[in-house]
Amino acid sequence: MLRILDIYGNLLLTAMGQTLLLALCGLFFACIIGLIVGLMSVVKNKLCNFIAVVFVDLIRGVPMIVLAYFIYFGVPYLLNTIMGLGGVMLTALQAGTICLALNCGAYMAEIIRAGIESVDRGQMEAARSVGLPYWRAMQRVVLPQAIRTMIPSIINQFIITLKDTSILSVIGFPELVNTAKNVVANTFMSFQTWAIVAVMYLAVITLLSRFAKSMERRLKHGH
Amino acid sequence: MAINKDNVKIHVEHLKKNFGRLEVLKDVSTDIYEGEVVVIIGPSGSGKSTFLRCMNRLENITGGTVVVDGYDITDKKVDINKVRENVGMVFQHFNLFNNMNVLRNLTLAPVDLKKADKASAEENAKKLLERVGLADKALAFPAQLSGGQKQRVAIARALAMNPNIMLFDEPTSALDPEMVGEVLEVMKELAREGMTMIIVTHEMGFAREVADRVLFMDGGYIIEEGTPDEVFSHPQNARTKDFLNKVL
């Protein structure tokens, strides 16, 4: 175990860095997608509602590994070979980010929709009754209340997304699992290597959950 | 304060409102004058709350015409937000903004809509809180207030936009009995000052005392209207008589 850490420790730490980088990129765009799709599902517009439902159902209905293969191999093949555009290439980081953003974004949209719907309808009505336009009322009155109920679920989704980066080892992104596979291939010490990897994930995620708990407590007590 | 019969604040003509296939308002017409206090009574499901909510278009209007302050709010081109700035509304369940303190509840709309800068909005808000007897609650959050206090803040919030019409949707129905009085007192004060008010309520004593005109609604129509004395003491319609027998 120590020998592995000695030789491959830095490599695994770098890989953890790559994992975090991928997770952060994915989460950043997931938040944007989630907010847009979440809002689309609550506005009074049938077309927006429909698009939001289709998006969420589509992404939820496809395993992420299939989505990853599709984006990394399928989409460039469609553009280059079938449509004859040529030269379209995605790096593993780009494809991975898109994949995480879509996948996590769909779940975030559901969290945001549920959060907004949990705010009493009277809050929006009161805000409109004093003359605030819809989006202003949303921004000043409804969303701040919705976010309070959404925070625990959002952090939970962050943790899931962080773990889901491991799936993107299949498209060759040098994150932790992919790197660990290489280490095992070189050393044959699979027990030791995977134990180290597990502990690394555990450490990061424990930190995140702790943070989530303290955040939750603060939101419960404060205003 | 006198009613100014020359100035129609709200003109309602053949108003219809359907929820899906359910016809809640079938054909409602009336004029509400400046300074008039109109109380709407009627059994639940008679459409009185819906009628009130049509007057600031919180409900989309299915048919007919509603003209508020000279603006035809059934016309999609009219900026409903501008009309609402002049029409205050008080809800049964208060609906104070839970994420803000009392002061901010009062200043949000005036400041956001650029009716006033922050300092003067706060000054005005404090005056209004004093008027409803809650000057000491400016920094409290809605969750820390009693029902009666919440409703008085809600009235102050509506007044903060300096409206010239006030709509009250069963403002005392969600209150404990001992808190009804304090809210009605604030409303009476407003009525005395000459505010144009439309009030949906089950408080018949209050209606009799402050109303210039009482509308009795049932089944999506205004069945009977008149002065409190006419409606309460000499009702003409059988349904009005029946309703009053049950509630008085």
Side-chain angles (χ1 to χ4, degrees), chain A residues 19-178:
Chain A
T19 291
L20 290 174
L21 170 73
L22 180 59
L24 281 177
C25 287
L27 283 172
F28 176 75
F29 291 107
C31 286
I32 296 173
I33 292 176
L35 189 62
I36 293 172
V37 178
L39 287 171
M40 280 173 77
S41 61
V42 294
V43 295
K44 271 191 192 159
N45 181 313
K46 291 255 159 63
L47 182 68
C48 284
N49 300 161
F50 179 73
I51 293 171
V53 167
V54 169
F55 173 77
V56 171
D57 283 356
L58 204 69
I59 298 294
R60 275 206 303 208
V62 176
M64 204 171 88
I65 194 163
V66 175
L67 190 65
Y69 281 132
F70 183 76
I71 290 169
Y72 190 58
F73 299 112
V75 172
Y77 179 78
L78 170 76
L79 295 176
N80 297 337
T81 311
I82 300 177
M83 292 172 68
L85 290 172
V88 178
M89 273 288 288
L90 284 174
T91 66
L93 178 61
Q94 287 165 344
T97 300
I98 295 171
C99 185
L100 281 179
L102 289 175
N103 192 67
C104 177
Y107 289 99
M108 293 275 265
E110 281 297 280
I111 293 170
I112 288 167
R113 181 190 58 76
I116 291 172
E117 282 175 357
S118 77
V119 177
D120 184 73
R121 208 165 59 107
Q123 295 287 311
M124 175 58 96
E125 286 185 350
R128 298 305 309 276
S129 79
V130 287
L132 292 179
Y134 179 85
W135 288 110
R136 195 67 75 85
M138 195 55 124
Q139 175 200 349
R140 294 276 196 255
V141 176
V142 179
L143 279 180
Q145 295 182 57
I147 283 169
R148 199 176 295 180
T149 65
M150 287 173 340
I151 292 276
S153 316
I154 288 179
I155 291 177
N156 191 37
Q157 190 56 45
F158 280 12
I159 290 170
I160 292 170
T161 303
L162 181 66
K163 293 207 274 189
D164 278 355
T165 55
S166 58
I167 293 171
L168 297 167
S169 59
V170 299
I171 58 170
F173 185 75
E175 48 68 66
L176 194 51
V177 167
N178 201 6

